[in-house]
């Protein structure tokens, strides 16, 4: 259990509830790196003693961090700083590769794996003929057992005839057959989570999420992957380096 000391003084000029002042202080501590990813926060009792506030105030402050996705509760263990992914937009890498590079343990909770007839949109995105069949992979993506995203990947059945053979990493599986995408076009926009999606991601209904559509291509130019990802915005940062043209 963390014993990191947190300096805190009540701001008498702040009209917001005391638990909100405590929550803002804890949020700043997390963002400043005082508490590291997967590190346990002090218990409510210890936090109340450190900050000289009631346990009710400490509990309500931690509730705010949980609601914002900065902290996850582990039953019987405590409250832990949630993982966060910073993904460069210039690199093409799989979800599993991104997590492993940052020291997280990637995982998948499979919802469905099937071979079906491609929809009109899928035919268009993947350059398929009418009635072509595709493998459809639907899953929740996890980092250290925390749900980060809901993802649907569509692959031509000629490339992936047995979707049940895919493990945690789709790209790793495609590499075994020589079909790893070498470039991709990706579109990102914000959307509000409906009831079903919110339930899958473990966020309040209506919360903003990042909706990402990616089409991956082989060296030959053949489209080989169409993926729709719905990412928790509290766990994802997308970073782009830009240069000014002289």
């Amino acid at each position: 259990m963390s014993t990191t000391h947190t300096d805190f003084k009540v701001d008498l000029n702040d009209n917001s509830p005391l638990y909100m002042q405590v929550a803002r202080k804890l949020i700043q501590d997390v963002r400043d790196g005082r508490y590291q990813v997967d590190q346990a926060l002090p218990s409510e009792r210890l936090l109340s003693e450190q900050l000289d506030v009631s346990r009710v105030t400490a509990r309500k402050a931690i509730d705010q961090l949980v609601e914002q996705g900065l902290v996850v509760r582990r039953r019987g263990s405590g409250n832990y700083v949630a993982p966060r992914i910073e993904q460069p937009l210039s690199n093409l890498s799989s979800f599993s590769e991104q997590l492993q590079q940052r020291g997280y343990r990637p995982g998948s909770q499979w919802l469905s794996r099937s071979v079906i007839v491609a929809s009109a949109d899928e035919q268009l995105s993947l350059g398929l003929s009418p009635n072509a069949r595709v493998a459809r992979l639907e899953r929740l993506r996890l980092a250290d057992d925390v749900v980060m995203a809901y993802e649907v990947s569509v692959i031509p059945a000629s490339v992936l005839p047995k979707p049940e053979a895919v493990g945690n990493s789709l790209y790793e599986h495609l590499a075994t057959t020589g079909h790893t995408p070498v470039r991709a076009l990706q579109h990102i926009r914000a959307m509000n989570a409906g009831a079903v999606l919110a339930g899958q991601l473990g966020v309040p209904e209506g919360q903003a999420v990042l909706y990402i559509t990616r089409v991956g291509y082989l060296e030959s130019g053949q489209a080989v992957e169409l993926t729709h990802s719905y990412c928790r915005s509290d766990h994802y940062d997308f970073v782009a380096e830009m240069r000014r043209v002289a």
Side-chain angles (χ1 to χ4, degrees):
M1 182 68 65
S2 170
T3 57
T4 300
H5 179 66
T6 301
D7 296 322
F8 174 75
K9 292 183 179 180
V10 177
D11 185 352
L12 299 178
N13 296 317
D14 189 337
N15 294 324
S16 60
L18 180 57
Y19 76 87
M20 289 299 296
Q21 293 189 42
V22 175
R24 286 196 291 270
K25 174 58 179 173
L26 291 175
I27 290 171
Q28 192 60 51
D29 286 345
V30 170
R31 290 174 175 165
D32 289 346
R34 179 169 288 183
Y35 297 107
Q36 301 298 316
V37 168
D38 213 33
Q39 179 182 354
L41 292 180
S43 66
E44 293 172 2
R45 179 188 60 79
L46 185 57
L47 193 62
S48 67
E49 293 174 356
Q50 288 180 350
L51 306 184
D52 194 24
V53 297
S54 71
R55 290 186 64 171
V56 172
T57 296
R59 182 181 309 117
K60 293 177 72 174
I62 293 174
D63 287 344
Q64 292 297 305
L65 273 68
V66 172
E67 289 181 11
Q68 294 192 33
L70 291 174
V71 167
V72 292
R73 285 197 170 98
R74 298 178 184 171
R75 187 178 300 276
S77 180
N79 303 302
Y80 292 79
V81 178
R84 190 171 185 89
I85 305 301
E86 186 177 273
Q87 181 179 346
L89 291 175
S90 57
N91 297 333
L92 176 58
S93 57
S94 70
F95 177 86
S96 296
E97 290 169 339
Q98 295 165 21
L99 292 184
Q100 290 167 346
Q101 289 168 2
R102 290 161 178 78
Y104 301 130
R105 185 180 71 256
S108 294
Q109 180 180 328
W110 289 104
L111 303 177
S112 69
R113 283 178 279 189
S114 59
V115 176
I116 59 174
V117 175
S119 69
D121 287 344
E122 291 165 354
Q123 292 171 23
L124 183 62
S125 296
L126 294 172
L128 301 174
S129 59
N131 299 318
R133 298 177 69 79
V134 293
R136 190 176 193 273
L137 311 172
E138 182 182 3
R139 54 185 167 168
L140 299 178
R141 307 309 305 267
L142 313 177
D144 292 344
D145 298 323
V146 176
V147 175
M148 304 289 285
Y150 164 68
E151 185 177 274
V152 178
S153 296
V154 180
I155 310 293
S158 59
V159 172
L160 183 61
K162 296 181 179 180
E164 66 276 7
V166 178
N168 277 335
S169 175
L170 172 61
Y171 276 27
E172 185 176 292
H173 180 81
L174 292 176
T176 65
T177 62
H179 292 99
T180 307
V182 298
R183 69 178 184 90
L185 294 178
Q186 189 162 270
H187 297 269
I188 305 173
R189 65 180 176 88
M191 61 173 287
N192 295 325
V196 174
L197 178 59
Q200 291 171 322
L201 294 178
V203 300
E205 183 177 355
Q207 178 167 309
V209 298
L210 296 173
Y211 173 49
I212 305 166
T213 300
R214 182 175 69 234
V215 179
Y217 299 87
L218 300 178
E219 191 71 55
S220 65
Q222 176 190 351
V224 73
E225 171 211 10
L226 170 63
T227 294
H228 301 286
S229 301
Y230 302 81
C231 302
R232 290 185 55 161
S233 57
D234 51 359
H235 288 335
Y236 265 86
D237 284 327
F238 287 88
V239 180
E241 179 180 355
M242 295 175 286
R243 296 181 183 274
R244 185 176 179 86
V245 178

